[in-house]
Amino acid sequence: EAAAAQAPPPMVGQDSDDDGEEEDEYFTVRTAWLDEKSSAVHCVGVFAGGMGAAFEPYLDRCLESIGALSNYFHEDVRQNLQTTLHKLFAVSFHAYSAPMRATAGEAAEQILHPKTASLLDSMMDELLRTMRSDDDKETVAQACEAVQAISLLVGPFCMSKFLQQLMENMTLLFSEKAPCQSAEDEDDEEEDDHDHILIDAVSELLGVMAKTWGPAFAPHFQAVFPLINKFIKPSRQASDRLMGIGCIAECSSHLQDAATPYILPMLPVLAQGLKDENSGVRRNSAFCCGVFCRAAPSTMAPYVPQVLAGLEPLFGEDEEDETKDNAIGALARILQADPTSAHLPQLLPVICDNLPLEGDEAENDAAIMAILAVFATNPAVLNPFLGKIVLGFTAVLSADNVQQNLKPPAIQGAVQLIGTLRREYPEPMAQVVATLPAEQQTWLAHNVPA
């Protein structure tokens, strides 16, 4: 009787009719313990991400505890595991390797503490296995994001040993032949042709890989370009096309002149993309046009007039701010590539009149670098726009998210230009500064004194 009293409640119950003719069996699934396990894994990641190197005393214990969950039966736990893994790796990196790199000079990127290096090997083995064999799309997507984070943290030298396996996994996923892509439920009404969770994560990882290795990534991108190309065909839905065009543009921005072979095949696609009904396709097409003009100016030179004609409708009042800013970014990249361009009188007013860019704030970097390039070659041509430049530059530089939107050369160059203008034109610049909001005036006083 005591044993019977301690036994858990049965998983199978019975419902009986009053007449006792039939009995219906049912299953009761209790998920509270599963939710707790999933939340616990997530919580470990939150603490690791928030505490950084200070989490190191708990690192080994947490790695041991969650290590057994890599093959856990439920996808919620596996999804959270991927995010937590890269945050735990970051703890090791910042606790052991970052201090070594801080004093290593030019060789810093090649240095990993032995403990971090060992963890990198085991963690990448797990993430690569998940990418190629897990049957849940979101788990694979989270694994791709984890690889992104680790790649940006350690750099190309330390990631080189995994490059071949990464490209094999990317080929598998772009071919849509991975287990997670063949295991989908055909009856799922929410499933569409474009998997925004998985394929977007894969394309973002490819962009990070191009950023990590730069032009040296060109042979690897060449291998997967035909697979990405299928997503940009006119027959594919808009979400596929904007993803494919965006992926090619992002990778090309890091390949630099190694992106030249893809320009001619892409120009007809971009010409149609600039006229597409979908704003995202228009936006990414504008970005890609600018990237090609910046990466291979001599190749793109004959096509700049057509590019400008295609971009012009994107400056209309009805266009979304994000798309308009990508079009302005494309104009800026044309000037970055050739600050003495014959199109300068046409492009410069559009860029200066729209500072600061607020729809896609990251495009302020391209706009600032274009203006700095023009100032370095022909400063007098900027005279009609100096007030707008100072106002726009100050608004961008004083923003809380400036480090996210501007690279160091743009920040340094913009600060120097404002300082130069305040010294050379003190009275006009004082009048301009007086029109700034109080918080921007305060920032200017502390960072760019007259």
Side-chain angles (χ1 to χ4, degrees):
E1 291 179 0
Q6 295 175 1
M11 293 297 288
V12 180
Q14 295 180 342
D15 284 340
S16 300
D17 294 336
D18 293 340
D19 298 334
E21 294 178 358
E22 293 184 2
E23 294 181 344
D24 296 326
E25 292 187 344
Y26 64 90
F27 287 93
T28 301
V29 179
R30 297 177 177 85
T31 62
W33 60 274
L34 175 61
D35 295 337
E36 289 178 1
K37 188 178 291 289
S38 179
S39 296
V41 174
H42 173 72
C43 190
V44 169
V46 170
F47 278 119
M51 295 176 63
F55 193 78
E56 188 276 334
Y58 313 99
L59 181 60
D60 291 341
R61 192 189 322 169
C62 289
L63 287 170
E64 181 180 355
S65 297
I66 69 172
L69 301 177
S70 59
N71 293 310
Y72 199 77
F73 78 93
H74 201 278
E75 63 273 13
D76 286 357
V77 175
R78 301 200 308 276
Q79 289 166 16
N80 284 331
L81 177 64
Q82 312 310 311
T83 303
T84 296
L85 284 176
H86 81 75
K87 291 181 178 179
L88 290 174
F89 176 81
V91 170
S92 178
F93 179 85
H94 290 298
Y96 301 118
S97 298
M100 297 172 63
R101 290 189 173 195
T103 59
E106 295 181 359
E109 194 179 75
Q110 302 178 18
I111 294 177
L112 274 186
H113 188 280
K115 193 166 186 176
T116 307
S118 176
L119 183 58
L120 176 65
D121 289 344
S122 61
M123 202 160 284
M124 283 301 301
D125 285 346
E126 172 59 27
L127 293 171
L128 289 165
R129 183 196 65 80
T130 299
M131 287 175 64
R132 66 175 174 265
S133 63
D134 200 288
D135 61 3
D136 176 64
K137 289 183 176 181
E138 190 164 348
T139 300
V140 176
Q142 294 292 341
C144 291
E145 293 180 8
V147 175
Q148 289 181 48
I150 292 174
S151 298
L152 292 173
L153 199 59
V154 303
F157 182 85
C158 298
M159 289 295 293
S160 293
K161 67 172 80 174
F162 311 108
L163 182 55
Q164 184 60 40
Q165 293 181 71
L166 277 170
M167 291 311 303
E168 291 174 359
N169 286 353
M170 301 292 280
T171 299
L172 182 68
L173 290 163
F174 274 123
S175 300
E176 301 177 285
K177 295 179 180 179
C180 65
Q181 293 164 308
S182 60
E184 63 187 41
D185 184 359
E186 296 180 357
D187 296 328
D188 188 354
E189 295 180 358
E190 296 182 359
E191 187 75 44
D192 57 22
D193 294 335
H194 173 78
D195 188 339
H196 66 91
I197 295 176
L198 176 58
I199 292 298
D200 284 2
V202 176
S203 67
E204 289 172 7
L205 175 55
L206 190 69
V208 167
M209 293 170 67
K211 180 179 181 179
T212 302
W213 277 279
F217 190 68
H220 305 285
F221 182 75
Q222 181 181 12
V224 296
F225 177 76
L227 301 176
I228 305 170
N229 201 45
K230 71 179 182 181
F231 290 97
I232 62 177
K233 293 181 178 179
S235 58
R236 300 295 290 244
Q237 61 180 338
S239 54
D240 282 346
R241 287 182 280 118
L242 74 88
M243 180 279 296
I245 294 171
C247 180
I248 292 169
E250 180 65 24
C251 291
S252 297
S253 69
H254 303 297
L255 296 177
Q256 301 173 16
D257 60 353
T260 301
Y262 310 107
I263 291 178
L264 293 181
M266 284 296 295
L267 285 178
V269 177
L270 299 178
Q272 291 299 314
L274 292 172
K275 300 182 289 187
D276 200 275
E277 294 181 357
N278 183 276
S279 63
V281 176
R282 297 195 300 272
R283 177 183 180 182
N284 283 358
S285 297
F287 174 57
C288 195
C289 286
V291 165
F292 283 155
C293 288
R294 181 73 179 92
S298 58
T299 302
M300 283 296 294
Y303 305 102
V304 169
Q306 293 98 307
V307 169
L308 296 179
L311 293 173
E312 186 175 2
L314 304 186
F315 299 109
E317 293 183 359
D318 296 335
E319 187 56 83
E320 295 182 4
D321 289 342
E322 292 85 352
T323 304
K324 187 182 300 184
D325 286 357
N326 276 108
I328 294 171
L331 303 185
R333 290 178 177 87
I334 293 173
L335 289 186
Q336 285 185 61
D338 183 11
T340 62
S341 169
H343 304 285
L344 179 63
Q346 177 185 358
L347 307 184
L348 195 56
V350 180
I351 297 171
C352 295
D353 288 348
N354 285 279
L355 291 174
L357 305 181
E358 297 178 340
D360 186 345
E361 294 179 307
E363 290 289 20
N364 282 300
D365 188 274
I368 289 173
M369 293 303 293
I371 292 171
L372 294 175
V374 173
F375 183 78
T377 56
N378 187 9
V381 76
L382 292 175
N383 286 344
F385 310 103
L386 292 181
K388 294 178 178 178
I389 290 172
V390 170
L391 293 175
F393 280 19
T394 303
V396 177
L397 291 169
S398 61
D400 292 337
N401 59 353
V402 61
Q403 299 292 339
Q404 301 173 21
N405 295 322
L406 299 185
K407 300 180 180 70
I411 295 175
Q412 297 166 8
V415 169
Q416 291 173 1
L417 179 56
I418 295 174
T420 299
L421 296 176
R422 295 189 74 185
R423 288 189 299 272
E424 294 186 2
Y425 309 102
E427 293 185 7
M429 287 299 105
Q431 296 175 10
V432 171
V433 170
T435 67
L436 288 167
E439 62 272 14
Q440 294 183 16
Q441 291 189 40
T442 301
W443 181 91
L444 206 59
H446 285 94
N447 294 276
V448 196

